[in-house]
Amino acid sequence: MHPGRALAIVVRPMISLQSYVRGQWIAGNGDPVTLHNPANAEVVGDVRPGGVDHAAALAHARGVGGPALRAMTFRQRAEMLKGLSKKLHEHRDELIEISGRNGGNTRGDAKFDLDGATGTFAYYASLGKHLPETPWLTDGDGVQLGRTARFWSEHVLLPRPGVALLINAFNFPAWGMAEKMACALLAGMPVISKAGTASAMLAWRCAQIMVDSGLMPEGAFQFLAGSVTGMVDLLQPMDVVAFTGSARTGSRIRGNPNLIAHSVRVNIEADSINAAVLGPDTDVDDDTFTQFLANVHLDMTQKAGQKCTAVRRILVPEDRLDEVKEALIDRLQATRIGDPLDENVRMGPVASQAQLDDVRAGIKHLQDECDTVLGGPEAMDGPGYFVRPTLLQARDVGVAVVHELEVFGPCATILPYDGRAASAAELVNRGGGCLVASVYSDDKSWVHELVPAIAPWHGRVWLGSEKTMGHALGPGAVLPGSIHGGPGRAGGGEELGGLRGLQFYLQRTALQGDRAVIGRTYGNGESS
Ligand code: NAP
């Protein structure tokens, strides 16, 4: 039976999403963009662009939200994040249902997104509890600048008196919004959050819950359901843009003349052709091999492969090829695909018709240079945006397309290699800069040769070994204590990473002068 056919028919009202701007919910006035249930292609709602005065929204954030947040201490802002985490968690079941209905997420996928959101708010709340009561943070120790210790310098970090424009991709409507909000709000910057349109219903409902909580001061949070185009042209020097999405849109934003002219800070989290490398020392019975299989399978099927951190290239020693293919085929074939809200289903559809078209075209493109091990781009019968889990094998591992084309769906390509660390590094780095590489080996000298060769090209290097089995989430999970982002192709951005994540929203200023004034007031220095 086609996966979409098992769906129960429940009639629900069409929902028209609204934006929350200047303390009010506002409907757009442009042509509606319809939102679908990806499991059966039914229309579930719409978003209308327009109707929002971008300049007034920005002024409201800068003039009302910013001062209110800066009047709070870090600890008070941390309390606010804790409250937001609790409020969203109270609505978890309702939000899981929305995540399935307008996003195609299985219950597991929805929890990954939602618990990621509440967990990130809670994590930053706990970090903020330990920050000082001062309106600034000091950065490092003070330094003597003059002939004597009288002339002194302290580096201080203060919230930028502007607005943080947060632009999110469609694939993580809850976590994507929360991870940016947590850092910006704790730092003391008001936010305007824009959801990816295709799955905006979940972000909109989270926004409603957070607004209704009354936890955030007026102007600290605004939400855009429609288009944000044009708003970046109005940003000013103290504003920032944190963007997550495709490399193409990221480049457009980075190249915006207004942002360049005013040196507006921009952080780009873009796409990435992440690699998993199986070391030559692993055997089929090893825990390390088991972890490798489990993580590759999870990355290919979780959120139907729509994760920026998902494995796209699988490097396998030539003498392990048959075992790896056989084991992955078994796991992928056993993956139950269907109605995402059915408890037993492990993989849902991709998020939209556009996404389905892109994924199928991308698989066809890869097939020009790769053999098909399993799956393919052929349409599945019936309604909905379902894609077959697709495993390919490159005929020539050097061919550009497998290192450059992101197929944002349940698809990955095996690249056989000779088992040498240098060969693996050379292939992995052809990704041109990635969010994460995962490496599976218990041969420490092989790992020590590989890691320094690939680390500069990656935001994270995830090392799986016998000792780590069962101890951690896989490389596809972004945890707030470690940085997220990657160089080059991945956008060159950096988010999260504990308190490092706040720095984007804070201005570092070196105060220089009489130590009695500077050291005592702003730092730990003793007055002389
Ligand atoms: P996208 O098409 O680039 O859109 C991303 C966001 O930018 C959306 O909110 C989109 O709004 C908005 N946007 C589009 N044009 C814009 C413009 N001219 N000015 C300002 N904003 C604009 O990406 P997507 O399809 O939503 O997301 C999938 C991509 O995101 C994948 O390539 C994936 O790898 C990447 N991604 C990266 C990360 C990471 O952390 N590195 C995380 C998740 C996803 P509309 O939706 O209204 O068009």
Side-chain angles (χ1 to χ4, degrees), residues 144-152:
Q144 176 180 326
L145 291 184
R147 268 190 299 120
T148 67
R150 177 164 295 280
F151 199 77
W152 190 252

Side-chain angles (χ1 to χ4, degrees), residues 167-172 194-198 226 228-229 243-247 249 252-253 269-272 308 355 406 408 435 484 490:
I167 304 174
N168 293 306
F170 74 82
N171 59 333
F172 281 102
K194 146 87 176 110
T197 297
V228 78
T229 309
F243 167 84
T244 295
S246 62
T249 314
R252 196 178 302 162
I253 290 175
E269 296 290 341
D271 53 37
S272 174
C308 53
Q355 192 53 29
E406 182 198 46
F408 206 54
L435 297 173
H484 171 58

Side-chain angles (χ1 to χ4, degrees), residues 107-152:
R107 289 184 176 277
D109 295 345
K111 288 175 196 166
F112 189 58
D113 185 24
L114 289 162
D115 296 346
T118 52
T120 303
F121 275 142
Y123 172 83
Y124 276 97
S126 70
L127 281 190
K129 266 197 321 206
H130 304 291
L131 292 178
E133 290 289 357
T134 52
W136 62 83
L137 298 177
T138 46
D139 176 25
D141 294 331
V143 284
Q144 176 180 326
L145 291 184
R147 268 190 299 120
T148 67
R150 177 164 295 280
F151 199 77
W152 190 252

